[in-house]
Amino acid sequence: MFIKYTGVLLIFITLCLLGRQKSVATQRELDTIRSLYDKLVSCKLSLKFNKMRSSKIVADLRQVCDRINDKEVNKLIADLCKSVGTTPLDGQLLLFEGCEERLKLKLNELEKKTPVKCKLYSSLGVLSGAFLAIILI
């Protein structure tokens, strides 16, 4: 009987931790996109004042972009990276501004959704753990 309750408790704790892990991963994704936005603004200013070469800017953006799982953001940055260095400076700055605006919209959307998703994942982990514990008992 003791082993049965121990197993149920372990399942409950595991599912609670899985929900918490998913919640933390969602928050981390938002933080990564924020850092990408900051890097994008920084790269735009560096490009504007000729502080960095376009190849360095592309490398910096891709480095941050590699940590992001959002396909829409990855495509946005990949398109920007393809265009950097192929147009005159004014055109590149316009590309950066357009990308910055779209990324800011995505960031605002995620900032609204993330707290709700984090609570949902944590609650779902606890409830599914409780559900399985009740069934197994």
Short mmCIF file of all heavy atoms in Angstrom, two decimals, residues 1-13 133-134 136-137:
data_model
loop_
_atom_site.label_atom_id
_atom_site.label_comp_id
_atom_site.label_asym_id
_atom_site.label_seq_id
_atom_site.Cartn_x
_atom_site.Cartn_y
_atom_site.Cartn_z
N MET A 1 0.81 -1.19 0.00
CA MET A 1 0.00 0.00 0.00
C MET A 1 0.86 1.26 0.00
O MET A 1 0.56 2.23 -0.68
CB MET A 1 -0.91 -0.04 1.24
CG MET A 1 -2.08 0.86 1.12
SD MET A 1 -3.11 0.32 -0.23
CE MET A 1 -4.65 0.83 0.33
N PHE A 2 1.95 1.20 0.78
CA PHE A 2 2.86 2.34 0.86
C PHE A 2 3.50 2.62 -0.50
O PHE A 2 3.65 3.77 -0.89
CB PHE A 2 3.93 2.06 1.92
CG PHE A 2 4.97 3.13 2.00
CD1 PHE A 2 4.67 4.37 2.56
CD2 PHE A 2 6.26 2.92 1.50
CE1 PHE A 2 5.64 5.36 2.62
CE2 PHE A 2 7.21 3.90 1.56
CZ PHE A 2 6.90 5.14 2.12
N ILE A 3 3.86 1.55 -1.21
CA ILE A 3 4.48 1.70 -2.53
C ILE A 3 3.50 2.34 -3.51
O ILE A 3 3.88 3.18 -4.32
CB ILE A 3 4.99 0.34 -3.05
CG1 ILE A 3 6.13 -0.15 -2.15
CG2 ILE A 3 5.45 0.43 -4.49
CD1 ILE A 3 6.62 -1.53 -2.46
N LYS A 4 2.25 1.96 -3.42
CA LYS A 4 1.22 2.51 -4.30
C LYS A 4 1.09 4.03 -4.07
O LYS A 4 1.08 4.81 -5.02
CB LYS A 4 -0.11 1.82 -4.05
CG LYS A 4 -1.23 2.30 -4.94
CD LYS A 4 -2.50 1.53 -4.65
CE LYS A 4 -3.63 2.00 -5.51
NZ LYS A 4 -4.86 1.27 -5.23
N TYR A 5 1.02 4.44 -2.82
CA TYR A 5 0.90 5.87 -2.52
C TYR A 5 2.16 6.64 -2.90
O TYR A 5 2.10 7.78 -3.36
CB TYR A 5 0.58 6.09 -1.04
CG TYR A 5 -0.83 5.68 -0.67
CD1 TYR A 5 -1.07 4.87 0.42
CD2 TYR A 5 -1.91 6.09 -1.43
CE1 TYR A 5 -2.36 4.48 0.76
CE2 TYR A 5 -3.20 5.72 -1.11
CZ TYR A 5 -3.42 4.91 -0.02
OH TYR A 5 -4.68 4.53 0.31
N THR A 6 3.31 6.01 -2.73
CA THR A 6 4.56 6.65 -3.13
C THR A 6 4.60 6.85 -4.64
O THR A 6 5.01 7.90 -5.13
CB THR A 6 5.77 5.80 -2.67
OG1 THR A 6 5.68 5.59 -1.27
CG2 THR A 6 7.07 6.48 -3.01
N GLY A 7 4.18 5.85 -5.39
CA GLY A 7 4.13 5.96 -6.85
C GLY A 7 3.17 7.04 -7.31
O GLY A 7 3.47 7.82 -8.22
N VAL A 8 2.01 7.11 -6.67
CA VAL A 8 1.02 8.14 -7.01
C VAL A 8 1.59 9.52 -6.71
O VAL A 8 1.44 10.46 -7.50
CB VAL A 8 -0.30 7.89 -6.24
CG1 VAL A 8 -1.22 9.08 -6.33
CG2 VAL A 8 -0.99 6.65 -6.79
N LEU A 9 2.25 9.65 -5.57
CA LEU A 9 2.85 10.93 -5.20
C LEU A 9 3.94 11.33 -6.19
O LEU A 9 4.02 12.50 -6.59
CB LEU A 9 3.42 10.86 -3.78
CG LEU A 9 4.04 12.15 -3.24
CD1 LEU A 9 2.98 13.23 -3.14
CD2 LEU A 9 4.69 11.90 -1.90
N LEU A 10 4.76 10.39 -6.62
CA LEU A 10 5.81 10.68 -7.59
C LEU A 10 5.22 11.11 -8.94
O LEU A 10 5.74 12.03 -9.58
CB LEU A 10 6.72 9.47 -7.76
CG LEU A 10 7.67 9.18 -6.61
CD1 LEU A 10 8.42 7.89 -6.85
CD2 LEU A 10 8.63 10.33 -6.40
N ILE A 11 4.16 10.48 -9.36
CA ILE A 11 3.50 10.86 -10.61
C ILE A 11 2.93 12.27 -10.49
O ILE A 11 3.08 13.10 -11.40
CB ILE A 11 2.40 9.85 -10.99
CG1 ILE A 11 3.04 8.53 -11.44
CG2 ILE A 11 1.50 10.38 -12.09
CD1 ILE A 11 2.07 7.40 -11.64
N PHE A 12 2.30 12.56 -9.37
CA PHE A 12 1.73 13.89 -9.14
C PHE A 12 2.83 14.95 -9.18
O PHE A 12 2.70 15.97 -9.86
CB PHE A 12 1.00 13.92 -7.80
CG PHE A 12 0.47 15.28 -7.43
CD1 PHE A 12 -0.63 15.80 -8.08
CD2 PHE A 12 1.08 16.05 -6.44
CE1 PHE A 12 -1.12 17.06 -7.76
CE2 PHE A 12 0.60 17.29 -6.11
CZ PHE A 12 -0.50 17.80 -6.77
N ILE A 13 3.93 14.70 -8.48
CA ILE A 13 5.03 15.67 -8.44
C ILE A 13 5.65 15.84 -9.82
O ILE A 13 5.96 16.96 -10.24
CB ILE A 13 6.08 15.23 -7.39
CG1 ILE A 13 5.50 15.39 -5.99
CG2 ILE A 13 7.36 16.05 -7.53
CD1 ILE A 13 6.36 14.81 -4.90
N ALA A 133 -3.54 10.81 -10.03
CA ALA A 133 -3.44 10.30 -8.66
C ALA A 133 -4.78 9.73 -8.21
O ALA A 133 -4.83 8.66 -7.59
CB ALA A 133 -3.00 11.43 -7.72
N ILE A 134 -5.87 10.41 -8.52
CA ILE A 134 -7.20 9.93 -8.13
C ILE A 134 -7.53 8.63 -8.85
O ILE A 134 -8.06 7.69 -8.25
CB ILE A 134 -8.26 11.02 -8.41
CG1 ILE A 134 -8.07 12.17 -7.44
CG2 ILE A 134 -9.66 10.44 -8.31
CD1 ILE A 134 -8.90 13.39 -7.75
N LEU A 136 -5.43 6.38 -10.03
CA LEU A 136 -4.59 5.27 -9.57
C LEU A 136 -4.90 4.82 -8.16
O LEU A 136 -4.57 3.71 -7.78
CB LEU A 136 -3.12 5.66 -9.71
CG LEU A 136 -2.62 5.83 -11.15
CD1 LEU A 136 -1.19 6.32 -11.16
CD2 LEU A 136 -2.74 4.53 -11.91
N ILE A 137 -5.49 5.70 -7.37
CA ILE A 137 -5.84 5.30 -6.01
C ILE A 137 -7.15 4.56 -6.06
O ILE A 137 -7.47 3.57 -5.71
CB ILE A 137 -5.99 6.52 -5.07
CG1 ILE A 137 -4.62 7.13 -4.86
CG2 ILE A 137 -6.62 6.15 -3.75
CD1 ILE A 137 -4.59 8.33 -3.97
#
